[in-house]
Amino acid sequence: NLQARLGEIFRRLSGRGYLQPEDVDAVLREVRMALLEADVHFAVARDFVARVREAAAGQEIWKSLSPAQQVIKIVHDELTRLLGGTHRELRFAPRPPTVFMLVGLHGTGKTTSAAKLAYHLKRRGRHPLLVATDLRRPAAVAQLEVGGKQAGVPTFTQPGATDPVAVARAALEEAARAGHDVVIIDSAGRLHLDEELMAELAQMRAAVLPSEVLLTLDAMTGQDAVTMAEQFTAKVGVDGLILTKLDGDARGGAALSVVATTQRPILFAGVGERVDALEPFYPDRMAARILG
Amino acid sequence: ALAGRAIDDTYLAELEEALILADMGAATAMEVTSRLRAARGLRTTADVQAALRRILLDLTGPAVPFQVEPPPAVVLALGVNGSGKTTTIAKLAYRLRGEGRKVLLAAADTFRAAAIDQLAIWAQRVGVEMVRHQPGGDPGAVVFDGLQAMRARGMDVLIVDTAGRLHTKVNLMEELRKLNRIIARDAPPTVERLLVLDAATGQNAISQARLFHEAVDVTGIVLTKLDGTAKGGIVLAIARDLKLPVKFLGTGERLDDLTPFDPEAFVDALLP
Ligand SMILES: Nc1nc2c(ncn2[C@@H]2O[C@H](COP(=O)(O)OP(=O)(O)OP(=O)(O)O)[C@@H](O)[C@H]2O)c(=O)[nH]1
Ligand SMILES: Nc1nc2c(ncn2[C@@H]2O[C@H](COP(=O)(O)OP(=O)(O)OP(=O)(O)O)[C@@H](O)[C@H]2O)c(=O)[nH]1
Ligand SMILES: [Mg+2]
Ligand SMILES: [Mg+2]
């Protein structure tokens, strides 16, 4: 792991009593390698290491008794700062209903996370309505309905509907009629490359004015996370992220990449398939995980 | 962008960056650039491109075709949550049916919400029969019934859908081993155990491939969602470490969005 690799470098240097620029480079190269292995985006890793170099320069770590540990601490603190710097709570509308809209690539956990969010908010005294607008994927509506039952929350569906935006609008009317203070909209998976489907999402957003457009990001995503997140942010608008499948062993560097480039916060972590498997996001735990 | 360039340190650094951005991983990317640096007799830029292409093709290895002969063949689809298993099974069934084969599906994902319904809709669209039990039932029983029906009805291929599972979940991996043992006990002449992998997956795909391979002896990979912007370079790292061949590419959500893996076309799409 990184601590061991840095320890090895400093051990080789300790006999010498002075530090060459290439020694600093060797240490920072190990940090960069660790970040790339953790799937941090190439450019984000490069910029991050430059910040570590600056942070380390002022701290005389090279003369310390445990320089490897000190470098790790600088890296960990800087990761935590970047991941948590945008931290905030979920935003609600000044007048109900509050609308949350889930968006993201195929299979990233939107439908599951919608039900989890409903459960989370119901437990906090809200009265959510789940909305099934994925009219394309076979049995997507049925899947959300099962999730709704598990969460103890009703699911709004319009059998036979063909326009997802119309379903979203109708759901708002139903929420007003039935007194739901939160509306959680599940959308169909789509590629950021698909202009027509991205436009559909933008249209849905304009129609229902969500307090939060939440992008689901699979924790095992590699370098593509940045392109995807930037395009969802540019074409639809993203307010926050849900980082899913954190119950695996993916290091999750995509989280750093996306927060760094979009400046949006990770609001929740998905940690399992059950409806109660949603946690707040802890930046310091994520920093330790990325470092491995 | 790198095609017209001399092979100097700047070129090699930019090449390494391009390969890492394609999710090949730093270790594999560095191996490729060091092999290129060591290559002899590269005079023109065309020489460099050809050498790089050879190195990448050496990593992928030759195409290993998907096998359903001799019948009856069993295809087991496995992989982590959301990778595209169920949709890939529909595409495979469509392709095999187009070849005139008799195909049967087994809905052995008895866990996830509406998983059986999802596969049932695909079965109806493709025009194939499906073995199903109640949601929450024993997936092993579905596999067993699928095998019985395959024999009884003289089917050419049985395709088994399984629940998504993270490779780190010991009990779920043991369940997968059990499903594999049920198939092995039936001893069909041909079995394909396909790891379905999302092309946008990063380095974690290596540990996924390793653990699934240790559990059930994977015979091939289906790399899905290549119609996105991810390049799927991780399969080169997997080929290098585990020698697992890619057999199909998933390039969309429709039934005909499945192509047999062509190493040359894949490498050409990967090359910067
Ligand atoms: N282990 C684990 N599995 C998850 C988590 N979140 C979602 N899943 C699983 O991931 C798979 C995909 O989840 P879905 O909710 O269907 O994903 P989706 O984004 O709605 O998919 P599309 O609608 O097809 O784009 C399912 O098997 C879920 O049970 C998580 O936090 N942990
Ligand atoms: N664009 C694109 N989408 C795909 C491809 N393959 C699958 N999908 C989509 O990915 C999502 C998940 O597909 P599924 O087939 O449900 O994945 P799965 O592995 O069976 O998921 P679980 O059973 O929940 O683990 C669906 O929205 C599919 O339409 C592909 O090649 N390209
Ligand atoms: Mg969904
Ligand atoms: Mg499935």
Side-chain angles (χ1 to χ4, degrees), chain A residues 10-26:
Chain A
F10 282 111
R11 235 185 322 280
R12 277 189 284 114
L13 302 179
S14 62
R16 222 195 293 145
Y18 61 88
L19 225 55
Q20 304 272 31
E22 54 264 30
D23 301 327
V24 178
D25 289 349

Side-chain angles (χ1 to χ4, degrees), chain B residues 85-86 109 112 118 161-162:
Chain B
K85 299 174 290 300
T86 305
D109 177 357
R112 205 211 68 211
Q118 181 187 6
D161 193 11
T162 65

Side-chain angles (χ1 to χ4, degrees), chain B residues 36-44 47-48 51 54:
Chain B
L36 192 60
R37 176 180 271 131
R40 291 273 98 93
L42 301 184
R43 275 178 291 278
T44 67
D47 288 343
V48 176
R54 264 198 307 280

Side-chain angles (χ1 to χ4, degrees), chain B residues 18-158:
Chain B
L19 297 179
I20 289 172
L21 286 172
D23 280 319
M24 227 177 271
T28 308
M30 283 171 18
E31 174 177 330
V32 170
T33 52
S34 72
R35 283 172 67 175
L36 192 60
R37 176 180 271 131
R40 291 273 98 93
L42 301 184
R43 275 178 291 278
T44 67
T45 60
D47 288 343
V48 176
Q49 281 297 88
L52 176 56
R53 201 166 175 276
R54 264 198 307 280
I55 292 168
L56 294 180
L57 283 173
D58 185 54
L59 278 177
T60 64
V64 178
F66 172 68
Q67 284 287 11
V68 287
E69 305 276 356
V74 175
V75 182
L76 181 66
L78 49 118
V80 301
N81 306 73
S83 64
K85 299 174 290 300
T86 305
T87 311
T88 296
I89 287 172
K91 296 173 184 177
L92 272 174
Y94 178 73
R95 178 183 173 84
L96 292 168
R97 199 160 170 282
E99 292 171 358
R101 302 176 199 273
K102 301 210 273 325
V103 181
L104 176 69
L105 304 186
D109 177 357
T110 55
F111 172 73
R112 205 211 68 211
I116 299 170
D117 298 333
Q118 181 187 6
L119 190 64
I121 291 170
W122 279 120
Q124 189 191 36
R125 287 183 189 175
V126 175
V128 295
E129 288 173 37
M130 187 181 93
V131 170
R132 63 188 292 171
H133 288 190
Q134 292 285 13
D138 172 17
V142 180
V143 174
F144 185 81
D145 279 3
L147 292 162
Q148 302 288 65
M150 173 186 79
R151 302 274 187 190
R153 301 180 207 176
M155 307 306 286
D156 297 316
V157 191
L158 172 72

